Structures are given as C-alpha cells and as structure tokens.
Amino acid sequence: MKITYTDVLVVGGGLAGLRAATGVKERGHDCILLTLVPPKRSHSAAAQGGMQASLGNSIKGEGDNEDVHFEDTVKGSDWGCDQKVARIFTNTAPKAIRQLAQWGVPWTRVRRGDREVVINAKKVTITEKDEAHGLINARDFGGTKKWRTCYTSDGTGHSMLFAMDNKAHEDKIEVRERMEAMAIIHENGRCYGAVARNLMTGELVAYIAKSTIIATGGYGRIYKVSTNAVICQGMGQAIALETGVATLGNMEAIQFHPTAIVPVGILTTEGCRGDGGLLTDVDGYRFMPDYEPEKKELASRDVVSRRMVEHMRKGKGVKSRYGDHLWLDITILGREHIEKNLREVKEICESFLGIDPAVDPIPVRPTQHYSMGGIRTDYRGESQTMKGLFSCGEAACWDMHGFNRLGGNSVAETVVSGMLVAEYVSDYCESKDSDIDLHISVIESFLNKEKEKLNFLIKPKEKAEDAYELRAKMEDIMMDDVGIFRNGEDLQKAVTELEELLVRSKNIVVKCKTLTANPELFNAYRTQRMLKLALCVALGALQRTESRGAHSREDYPERNDKDFLNRTITTWKNENDTLPTISYEEINIDEMELPPGFRGYGKDMTITNPKSEKRQNEVDKIKEKLEDEGKDRFEIQEALMPFRDMLPDVYQGKNERLYEKFTKDVK
Amino acid sequence: MSNEKGRILKISVLKYNPQVKEDKPKIVTYELEEAPGMTLFIALNEIRQHQDNSLKFDFVCRAGICGSCSMLINGKPGLACRALTSKMDADITLAPLPVFELIGDLSVFTGKWMSGMNDRLETWIHEKEEEEKACSCDTIEETMDPDLSDEIYELDRCIECGCCVAGCGTIVMRENFVGAVGLNKIARYAIDPRDKREDADYYDLIGDEDGIFGCMSLMGCEDVCPKDLPLQSKIAYMRRKMVAMKDK
Ligand SMILES: Cc1cc2nc3c(=O)[nH]c(=O)nc-3n(C[C@H](O)[C@H](O)[C@H](O)COP(=O)(O)OP(=O)(O)OC[C@H]3O[C@@H](n4cnc5c(N)ncnc54)[C@H](O)[C@@H]3O)c2cc1C
Ligand code: SF4
Ligand code: SF4
Ligand code: FES
C-alpha cells in the first residue's frame, strides 16, 4: 500500500490548479499537484481570446472599473451568480493580471496614436493617449460595456498557462503527471485527500493531505460536439459527487459558444466578433442586427447562440452533410489584422478546414463550450458540506457565473480564484481544524475499493456492455435533448435513457485486460462517471421550469424570479441510486447590490419577485443619500453590500488606474 | 452532398508496450475508410474504438494548440491532430517520437523531458531579490514597448511539442543537449527586460556543448516546428551573444 502525505493536495494542473499551488507554497505549505497531462498541455492553453480585468488603459476602456465589471458579470449571469463573489472577483482581477505581467506574460500593449478598428461593420479610427502607451491593452468582447478583455495576440491562455507553469517550476511545486484522482478519501464530513492512479503503470497511491483542492476544469465532453479538450470529462466533479456528501451546483447551466467550426467543434475565438467579424446566413445576409439591434454580434454568448439556432430553424442555415451551419465572416478585418491578432484562427482554418479566413467565410455553429456548474463551494472555495475539500476554476461553482459566464471572465476566474483559495486554504492549514486524525484502515479501505472496481471492470460478465458504445449514446442524448433549446418532453426522455445507460454501465467489460497503461480501461470508468454527471445536468434541466441565462426552456420561456432565483444543488446520496437528488439554495435578494432586473435582450419576460422592487428602492435610497453626502464610489458600494472583509488582507487594496490614484491604503 | 465511398487508408503503427516484459516492437497495419475532413486524431480514435482497444496515443486539445500529439508521421515529426489524411498518401506510417521516454505505442513522455529542461534552464522571470517581495499589484503595471511584447510573444508561442528535439541531429549524439526548444527559451528571456539575468548568467546555462555550442545549425528543427518559430535566427542570435561572452 502506497501512501504519501502532504499539506495540500491540488488536483489539476490548469491555470486554477497551478495558481492555487504556487499560492499555498508561497505561504509555506507543502503541496503536491496531480494532473492527467503535463500542466502546460491543460485545456487552459486553448483560451485564445482574453482575460477580463478592468484596467481601463485603452481609450475604449476609459472609465472602466470594478463597478462596471461587476454589473456586466451580474447581468451576464442573469442574476444567478453570488454577487459577493462577483465583487471579490472583479476587485481582484486587475491584481491578478498585473501579477501575471510581472511573471512574464507578454500582454499585448497599447500603442499611442491612431489605430484603425472595425466597429459595427465600419472602419473607425480610434486614438490612444500618450500616457497609456505601453500599458496592457484590451479588446471588445460580448456582454461588456467597455473594452475590457486583455490579451496576448491570440494566445492568451497559452501564455498565461506557460507563465504559471514556469512560476510553478520556480517555486518547486511537486507535479505528478499522468496521475488521475480516482476517489476522494473522506470520513465524517471531512476530506483527507484522494486515491490516485498512475496512468502509465496502473499503480494506486493514496495522497493524504490537510486540504484538497479540486481544479480539474469542466465537463464539456459529456456532449458529442464540444470546443473542450478531450480530457474535459468532469472527473473532479464526479469524484466529489461520488462521496455522497459534497454537493454540485447548477449543473444544468451549460454554455454554448456561437462560433465553433463545423464539423469538429474547434473554437474560433470571440475575439473574431470582438474585433469586428460578422455572422451571416445562407444568403450572405447579416442577421444579428434584426434580432439584437443594439449589441448585434456582441450580445451575450447564450443570446447569440440562441439567435443563431432560431435563424437556422427559419431555414436560413447553410446545408451541409454535417447539418446546418452559418458563416463567420472576418474578411472585413483584412489580412494583416488576421495574421497578427487572429493567427490561431487562421491556423485552425487552414489546418482543419483548408480555407483562408482572409478570403473565405468560416462555417460555424453553436457548440458546447463551458460548464458554469461544478463543485458547490462557499466564497472561500470550500465545499459547503465537506470540510477540507476546496475547489476552484471551471471545476467549481463558486459562483460568479450564475447561468451564463461572460467571455474572458473564465481565465480571469481561474487565476483569481486560485490566488484567493490559496490564502483561505493556507489559513485552514494553519488552524487546528486541519489536523489529521485518520485511521490507516480507512485509507486502506478506500484504496481497496478502487482496486476492486478496476478488477471488476476487466472481469467477464454475462451481459457484457461496451463502454465506447454507451458513451456515444450518452453524447448523442445530451446533444439532441439537453442542448441549447430544451423542453420538458425531450428532457424527460433524456433522463430515462441516461438512467438506463447508467444501469447498463455496471456491466461494462474491458477487453484489453492489463491494469497498466490502458486507454480502454480509463474510458470505461470515466464513462460510468460521466453518465452520472450527464444525469445531474439532464435532471437539473428538467426540474428547472424557467429560462435563465444559458438554460433555455421552450415550454417555460420566462425567467422566473419568484420560484427559481436559486441555485440547483445536486448530490448522489447512495452508491446504488440511479438518479441524483436535487434541492435548491435560495439566492437572497435582500442582500443584493444589484437587484434583479431586465437583462436587455429581446423582450422582457421576467416573472418578477416582489422582493426585487423593494430591494431596488432600498438601494436607490441608500445611493441617493450617500451621493448627497459626497461619499465616493467605494463608500457607497460598502453601504450596499460589504465584501472587503471577506478578502484576504493582502488583496484588500484599491486598484490604481491611469485616472484613479490613491494616496493611502483602504485598510 | 456526396455519399461516395472514401479511400481505404492503411495506417501502419509501430506498436510496443515497454510495461509488458514479453512485448516486442512490431508494426501493425489498420485499414479504415477515409471520411471528409479526417485528421489522424479522428482516424486513430476510430481505430481504437473499433479495431484495437489497446492502442496508445495522446491527444488533448485536438486543435494544434497543446503539443501533446507529436509523433513521426511518415518519418517526419509533426502534430497528428493537425494532419489531414486528405493531404497524405493512403499508406501512412506512424511511430512514436524518438529521444523521449516511451510510454507505449505512440505515447511518449515529452512532459518529463520538457519539465527537466525548464528546471535546468530556469525558464522563468528572475526578478531582483528586493523586487520579488513587494506585492505591487495594486499599482499600475510597468509599461512595455508594444513591439517588444509582440516580439516576446512570438517566441513564447512554443508549445513544447518536442518536434524540434526529435528532428535534431545533435541530440542523437549528445543526450543532454537542450534542443532548439531550450535555446529558443533562453532567447525569449534574453529579450525580456523583466528578466534580470545577464548574458553571463545565460552563458552558465547554455555556454557549452550541451547548449549553444552543440548546435550544428543544420536547421532540422525549424523545418518541423509546427508553430513556425524563427528558430534559425534566434539560435544565431544567441550564438553571437554567447560567442561574445566566451571571448571575454
Ligand atoms: C477553446 C476554448 C477557448 C476558450 N477561450 C477563453 C477565453 O478566451 N477567455 C476565457 O476567459 N476563457 C476561455 N475559455 C475557458 C477557459 O479556458 C477555461 O474555463 C479555463 O481555462 C479552465 O481552467 P481550469 O484551470 O479550471 O481547468 P483546465 O485548464 O481544464 O485544467 C484542468 C486540469 O485538471 C487535470 N485533471 C482533470 N481531471 C483530473 C483527475 N481526475 N486527476 C488529476 N488531474 C485531473 C487536467 O490534467 C488539467 O491539468 C476557453 C475555453 C475553450 C474550450
Ligand atoms: S539547428 Fe540543428 S543541431 Fe541546432 S537545434 Fe536545430 S536541429 Fe538541432
Ligand atoms: S520550438 Fe517548435 S518544435 Fe520545438 S517544442 Fe517549441 S513548438 Fe515544438
Ligand atoms: S492534441 Fe493538442 S496539439 Fe495535437
């Protein structure tokens, strides 16, 4: 039996995991990081577009600050997010990006003087100020009031991830590559680490830690076509769910990105539209202004995706053997711009479509892209129901995205939540609460259980099932019945069919019998777990009889603040259950800084909650009074929804900007 | 749209599982029908799903971004996920990247090699001691010339795929050679004003035969780099710098 002890176990080597690991290490805690792939190959590398942080350096970002970013984020979430968390996040994003700049990210910088950009299909000249020259630049992204998305050409995620991994090398983080976390070790509501499997040798190891951070990314691969990397299978959420104690939040909140290429689903970044690219239909007609006259192509992602499907349903899609699609036209941006700022897009078009995007339009359609749901945590990143279990990044439901996340807010979230959770975890590790008092027999039983499960998978069975087949069925069901537009009938069918698949998956037989490196074996146990997650998504979607953000019910088109201004909480109570258990956590309107309102797309179909108006009046009154008293924006915010004390001391400072400097510290 | 039958591809793979004692390297040929837009990512997954469950290979992003899937494609290092079968003959041979530790079949441990190289060359920003301590992230970031940050990004685009290492003649003779990937990293830090190391520091890292002086400038590396990094000019740049140091 192999047991390794450490202070903090980090599962996941993407941006979130690496940032958390370096954070706890710098606070003096030992740390081991497990990852399926070398950290630099994590899915974070694929983020092309950018990171939102309200620096306000560029002329089109002037006047931006935490308040504007907060408002965009809350509206984007369709009021489903935790507003305190959104505040914590928008406060810390500028710090995170500046820190990353120190650590080597070559952010694209502002250049003084005139620059030609494309806004609303027209070439416009903007003039950057002298004093902004050389500061971090930003581009336009959907759902934001200001140009706030900072970027490195078109390789933002790549250069952030490389800088983070290099930092981890500097900090001597112990990284264990090709180690898969298989089960969370826990007893009496306390997490003690995880059982992991070496994907090369098959060896099982128990990692025992004071606290465990799950940063394993999203679960997009339960869908047939996804922009996600093939390893985004939600295994972190699944093993948390399998404890029967930890909970998942908002699993049905799935984002579809408007512009993935057809058929393979590789993403072309939102930067294409941010920089001025257009969506056109079979007639070459630009249709978005008809649906969203104000924001057009740059409406929120969920909105654009739905409009595209609506338009295709009207017969305006381009027919192909892979189904209908639309065009993304970036030819207007010109070759020079494409080759410099959208080079990754150009490479993708050349390599996977054999076209030149400076000349040809790109075939695109909405495709599964982001998992808003995840391991439900409090603002400190700790599970609400299991001590010592933390989560951050896309794996978590922290919850700053609610039912729709804004482009560029995700890589920002990974580093911000990583740096904050590292502090809270360190505090926990330094408290008595984190002492480990666990009998060795408990560890042994968790190890044995995993061993037995693997042995059972290779054992011959009477009604042998094939994991690849079950998985393909699941992917189809999710795509067809739990997609962009949902309805009760399809969802019910999906739940029933997925439940059957889950039952059948108990009889999976792995034909290749080796317990060492064996792709068929890991596909088998991951399929079993993905089926559970798929059920959480489908059942959550079935029971949420309203439309909010990315969750869109054709039979319940209204956002229902009366009954559903809440978070879906999912558990898997007993190992032999074939369905998850769902409950709801209320979102308290009385504490909101920004009470629920109209998001501003299409026509307002909200079933309002009477509390919203009451709170709005309160907020207006407080604002008016304090403004009259001459209070500044920080004091007014503080009076509405205090959050600063929730932050670790080191991150409580105010962010300076070109036109906003502070003489003394806030604290 | 046509429903014509595609070509029959014959994909020959060098198979070997070093974990299994009795196993010997062998070439196994799989046949499958080509589909429109098929890449080696799609083809290999189909083979694994329908013909050989045990076939080992690594894909992560399947979009040419993460550097996981490099292998020898018809003898030349390249990213398998970006290789469209339509651009190749129907007979395709695949082998694992040489130099790197073999995990099995087409799967190699590039991560371990790269991690070792990063440790050895200390591929991170070296700040001045006193600066490091002060958390200055509330104040406005330091400016950087826009052209310079573009230039750094240009070199930062390396995805550590290992193709240049596999295509390099020196590595065969000197197993500790840092490769074009390593030399490019040093070039990247050398132009970055945030890294306070000086030429003498870089010389300590690459001023020998395992570094810049081991490179024979045959440029096998630049030809195979899937990110088209300017390896040739950057190696030459570092060589000039290091020769100047040597002569000091
Ligand atoms: C194509 C694409 C483009 C995007 N572009 C943008 C953008 O422009 N801006 C933006 O803000 N967001 C973007 N996103 C979203 C953003 O990239 C991700 O949400 C974010 O990078 C997730 O980071 P993470 O650290 O949480 O997880 P990941 O980067 O996915 O890392 C997960 C890690 O967990 C490990 N892991 C998983 N399971 C296990 C296990 N069982 N045991 C051990 N290790 C495990 C993996 O090896 C990996 O290291 C994009 C996403 C996609 C798909
Ligand atoms: S120039 Fe030749 S010897 Fe030098 S790194 Fe490139 S391939 Fe190797
Ligand atoms: S330099 Fe090019 S070939 Fe070498 S590892 Fe980097 S991306 Fe790959
Ligand atoms: S799978 Fe990522 S580069 Fe090929």
Side-chain angles (χ1 to χ4, degrees):
Chain A
M1 188 165 67
K2 191 161 168 193
I3 305 178
T4 302
Y5 292 88
T6 183
D7 293 333
V8 182
L9 178 68
V10 178
V11 185
L15 279 169
L18 288 170
R19 185 61 190 85
T22 54
V24 294
K25 191 75 196 261
E26 291 192 353
R27 282 273 301 261
H29 302 287
D30 278 342
C31 159
I32 292 179
L33 185 148
L34 310 181
T35 167
L36 299 175
V37 297
K40 282 179 172 134
R41 312 224 191 284
S42 297
H43 174 54
S44 291
Q48 304 159 4
M51 159 171 176
Q52 282 207 47
S54 58
L55 300 180
N57 293 326
S58 156
I59 192 84
K60 298 294 278 180
E62 223 173 63
D64 200 8
N65 59 32
E66 301 81 9
D67 298 348
V68 190
H69 191 184
F70 167 78
E71 201 171 301
D72 284 344
T73 302
V74 175
K75 283 187 179 164
S77 80
D78 222 355
W79 278 272
C81 73
D82 180 331
Q83 297 197 2
K84 285 191 178 150
V85 168
R87 265 289 172 194
I88 288 177
F89 162 73
T90 53
N91 165 78
T92 315
K95 302 180 204 308
I97 200 169
R98 285 168 174 165
Q99 195 174 53
L100 284 167
Q102 290 172 8
W103 290 347
V105 175
W107 297 109
T108 298
R109 304 288 172 142
V110 177
R111 190 186 304 272
R112 67 166 69 87
D114 289 354
R115 175 158 69 106
E116 198 169 75
V117 297
V118 176
I119 301 175
N120 191 18
K122 283 190 198 73
K123 293 211 161 119
V124 181
T125 302
I126 58 175
T127 311
E128 298 289 2
K129 295 196 170 151
D130 271 355
E131 54 268 41
H133 185 76
L135 295 175
I136 296 172
N137 205 352
R139 56 162 54 130
D140 201 6
F141 249 41
T144 64
K145 271 218 187 74
K146 303 275 177 187
W147 290 23
R148 187 187 300 125
T149 307
C150 306
Y151 61 103
T152 53
S153 181
D154 62 357
T156 312
H158 165 87
S159 47
M160 287 171 74
L161 186 64
F162 270 50
M164 260 334 301
D165 185 56
N166 293 337
K167 181 76 188 153
H169 274 277
E170 179 184 0
D171 288 355
K172 306 213 164 14
I173 303 291
E174 286 183 53
V175 174
R176 303 272 187 274
E177 288 174 14
R178 297 181 190 259
M179 282 298 275
E180 174 167 6
M182 299 286 284
I184 287 170
I185 299 171
H186 63 103
E187 192 184 46
N188 301 328
R190 163 80 200 275
C191 170
Y192 292 100
V195 175
R197 177 171 177 268
N198 184 319
L199 292 170
M200 294 174 290
T201 63
E203 184 183 39
L204 289 172
V205 185
Y207 289 92
I208 303 301
K210 291 179 176 175
S211 53
T212 302
I213 306 175
I214 307 282
T216 48
Y219 45 92
R221 283 284 161 177
I222 59 176
Y223 284 82
K224 183 176 178 146
V225 189
S226 167
T227 63
N228 289 190
V230 296
I231 57 168
C232 298
Q233 298 175 312
M235 288 305 104
Q237 290 91 341
I239 60 175
L241 183 72
E242 286 185 334
T243 60
V245 182
T247 60
L248 306 184
N250 288 347
M251 290 297 282
E252 69 272 32
I254 302 277
Q255 180 174 80
F256 288 77
H257 194 291
T259 59
I261 63 170
V262 179
V264 282
I266 295 171
L267 184 80
T268 58
T269 169
E270 184 149 327
C272 291
R273 280 168 297 132
D275 291 0
L278 307 175
L279 290 169
T280 59
D281 65 11
V282 66
D283 308 319
Y285 175 72
R286 182 185 178 202
F287 57 92
M288 276 308 293
D290 295 352
Y291 295 97
E292 298 296 339
E294 200 193 323
K295 277 272 172 184
K296 308 176 185 77
E297 279 84 356
L298 286 174
S300 227
R301 278 186 187 166
D302 55 328
V303 176
V304 179
S305 291
R306 279 196 293 272
R307 296 311 198 184
M308 289 169 74
V309 173
E310 263 182 83
H311 200 63
M312 287 191 282
R313 283 181 176 177
K314 288 182 187 160
K316 293 292 178 187
V318 183
K319 302 253 175 289
S320 87
R321 66 185 293 159
Y322 302 104
D324 287 5
H325 65 78
L326 293 159
W327 300 114
L328 170 64
D329 189 346
I330 59 171
T331 55
I332 181 173
L333 306 182
R335 182 172 299 281
E336 196 193 340
H337 180 94
I338 294 173
E339 286 180 358
K340 171 145 181 285
N341 291 310
L342 298 168
R343 178 165 41 181
E344 208 78 57
V345 174
K346 183 168 177 274
E347 272 182 28
I348 286 168
C349 287
E350 283 167 354
S351 312
F352 299 96
L353 295 167
I355 63 168
D356 176 357
V359 180
D360 312 303
I362 310 166
V364 294
R365 77 175 154 223
T367 300
Q368 192 290 332
H369 181 58
Y370 185 80
S371 319
M372 269 79 71
I375 300 172
R376 178 72 188 120
T377 72
D378 61 14
Y379 75 92
R380 295 162 48 253
E382 189 172 25
S383 161
Q384 295 173 320
T385 47
M386 186 178 281
K387 286 261 116 212
L389 177 69
F390 292 78
S391 182
C392 59
E394 193 172 341
C397 176
W398 189 26
D399 158 21
M400 61 164 273
H401 303 303
F403 275 76
N404 176 58
R405 73 126 180 148
L406 295 181
N409 255 358
S410 177
V411 290
E413 178 190 30
T414 60
V415 281
V416 167
S417 64
M419 68 205 260
L420 294 175
V421 168
E423 298 299 319
Y424 301 126
V425 163
S426 299
D427 294 344
Y428 176 74
C429 286
E430 286 156 23
S431 77
K432 279 223 65 84
D433 288 352
S434 70
D435 289 354
I436 295 179
D437 176 21
L438 182 71
H439 201 275
I440 195 104
S441 64
V442 179
I443 306 174
E444 205 168 16
S445 75
F446 273 94
L447 271 169
N448 285 337
K449 202 167 154 198
E450 288 314 301
K451 205 183 284 165
E452 279 161 25
K453 277 199 230 165
L454 293 168
N455 281 324
F456 187 70
L457 277 171
I458 55 173
K459 228 172 79 179
K461 298 174 191 77
E462 219 168 278
K463 280 177 83 179
E465 297 283 358
D466 178 68
Y468 289 107
E469 187 195 322
L470 300 184
R471 192 174 143 190
K473 288 215 164 88
M474 167 193 75
E475 291 173 354
D476 282 334
I477 296 169
M478 294 307 288
M479 211 65 200
D480 295 342
D481 299 328
V482 199
I484 299 183
F485 282 109
R486 303 166 172 181
N487 65 67
E489 200 181 317
D490 288 350
L491 288 169
Q492 182 58 59
K493 182 169 140 257
V495 170
T496 311
E497 289 175 4
L498 288 168
E499 195 180 359
E500 276 166 26
L501 292 180
L502 180 68
V503 174
R504 284 172 61 189
S505 75
K506 304 227 154 86
N507 290 323
I508 289 176
V509 176
V510 174
K511 294 180 215 88
C512 173
K513 302 294 180 196
T514 171
L515 289 175
T516 64
N518 180 352
E520 192 194 356
L521 180 64
F522 71 62
N523 181 59
Y525 57 74
R526 289 187 196 165
T527 298
Q528 292 174 330
R529 293 187 174 138
M530 284 161 85
L531 277 165
K532 288 188 181 161
L533 295 181
L535 273 164
C536 293
V537 176
L539 191 63
L542 175 64
Q543 296 190 2
R544 182 171 283 275
T545 47
E546 67 151 357
S547 293
R548 184 180 298 276
H551 170 68
S552 183
R553 287 282 299 255
E554 290 166 304
D555 42 356
Y556 295 93
E558 314 81 10
R559 186 183 90 201
N560 184 346
D561 286 352
K562 238 201 212 108
D563 305 310
F564 279 106
L565 194 53
N566 56 25
R567 221 161 266 132
T568 312
I569 300 294
T570 314
T571 51
W572 205 278
K573 292 263 184 250
N574 292 302
E575 221 171 309
N576 293 323
D577 286 356
T578 53
L579 283 178
T581 305
I582 288 183
S583 61
Y584 295 94
E585 171 192 342
E586 202 198 328
I587 301 176
N588 193 350
I589 297 176
D590 298 335
E591 288 180 3
M592 284 185 185
E593 179 178 342
L594 190 67
F598 174 43
R599 219 171 133 209
Y601 297 114
K603 70 172 193 278
D604 188 3
M605 299 221 284
T606 314
I607 301 175
T608 50
N609 188 316
K611 282 188 187 167
S612 300
E613 203 186 325
K614 189 170 144 263
R615 177 63 184 160
Q616 187 64 56
N617 290 335
E618 255 170 44
V619 168
D620 292 344
K621 240 187 245 143
I622 297 172
K623 264 195 192 155
E624 203 179 274
K625 175 163 170 281
L626 296 183
E627 270 164 17
D628 287 348
E629 288 171 15
K631 302 281 192 210
D632 67 18
R633 66 182 182 95
F634 297 98
E635 291 163 319
I636 296 174
Q637 193 288 320
E638 177 85 12
L640 293 172
M641 190 184 71
F643 75 95
R644 224 162 262 275
D645 286 344
M646 295 159 77
L647 284 164
D649 290 350
V650 278
Y651 301 126
Q652 289 189 0
K654 289 179 186 167
N655 301 306
E656 288 201 344
R657 296 186 180 78
L658 266 181
Y659 307 105
E660 200 174 24
K661 302 249 162 86
F662 305 101
T663 39
K664 58 177 192 321
D665 225 72
V666 253
K667 260 225 101 184
Chain B
M1 283 284 149
S2 73
N3 278 323
E4 280 169 40
K5 278 210 163 288
R7 288 189 299 173
I8 299 298
L9 301 176
K10 285 194 183 142
I11 301 186
S12 303
V13 177
L14 183 63
K15 274 203 80 175
Y16 174 49
N17 186 352
Q19 298 276 342
V20 179
K21 285 215 179 58
E22 322 75 74
D23 204 30
K24 292 216 172 61
K26 56 185 173 295
I27 290 178
V28 181
T29 303
Y30 308 93
E31 289 190 9
L32 83 163
E33 191 189 327
E34 189 174 32
M38 185 177 252
T39 59
L40 285 178
F41 164 71
I42 298 173
L44 286 169
N45 273 293
E46 250 179 50
I47 293 171
R48 176 145 94 192
Q49 192 162 339
H50 300 297
Q51 301 186 38
D52 181 353
N53 291 150
S54 72
L55 186 61
K56 287 175 261 309
F57 47 76
D58 294 315
F59 289 97
V60 178
C61 71
R62 59 83 177 88
I65 291 167
C66 76
S68 301
C69 63
S70 26
M71 55 181 76
L72 292 182
I73 305 167
N74 292 328
K76 195 178 162 199
L79 299 179
C81 70
R82 273 203 336 200
L84 285 165
T85 55
S86 59
K87 290 189 183 162
M88 290 184 258
D89 282 347
D91 286 312
I92 300 168
T93 63
L94 302 177
L97 272 198
V99 183
F100 301 98
E101 182 181 321
L102 180 70
I103 293 171
D105 305 340
L106 299 170
S107 169
V108 289
F109 210 162
T110 46
K112 187 171 163 191
W113 193 97
M114 292 295 164
S115 180
M117 178 273 296
N118 280 304
D119 278 338
R120 209 169 115 206
L121 300 183
E122 302 186 8
T123 57
W124 54 83
I125 298 282
H126 289 56
E127 291 158 327
K128 288 242 171 66
E129 291 280 319
E130 41 319 345
E131 279 172 17
E132 200 161 1
K133 291 288 157 269
C135 170
S136 52
C137 45
D138 290 343
T139 50
I140 293 177
E141 66 274 12
E142 269 184 48
T143 58
M144 181 183 271
D145 180 74
D147 291 329
L148 179 57
S149 70
D150 287 352
E151 205 184 318
I152 296 170
Y153 173 67
E154 198 53 38
L155 306 186
D156 209 44
R157 288 171 62 247
C158 165
I159 54 174
E160 297 192 358
C161 65
C163 288
C164 60
V165 176
C168 171
T170 299
I171 283 233
V172 185
M173 294 172 294
R174 307 192 67 88
E175 84 177 299
N176 290 321
F177 183 56
V178 298
V181 54
L183 298 173
N184 174 66
K185 296 227 175 219
I186 292 298
R188 179 235 178 274
Y189 285 96
I191 61 166
D192 192 330
R194 293 169 294 195
D195 190 41
K196 302 296 182 228
R197 283 179 289 185
E198 287 164 5
D199 283 355
D201 302 312
Y202 299 133
Y203 189 84
D204 286 343
L205 296 169
I206 57 160
D208 60 10
E209 303 275 292
D210 284 335
I212 198 77
F213 301 120
C215 165
M216 300 173 299
S217 307
L218 300 172
M219 291 310 143
C221 48
E222 187 162 316
D223 285 347
V224 295
C225 173
K227 290 284 141 180
D228 297 324
L229 290 178
L231 297 174
Q232 184 161 13
S233 65
K234 288 305 140 185
I235 289 174
Y237 167 78
M238 280 320 295
R239 185 194 302 279
R240 282 195 302 278
K241 260 181 175 302
M242 293 299 103
V243 167
M245 279 303 305
K246 200 179 188 176
D247 296 344
K248 258 189 197 162

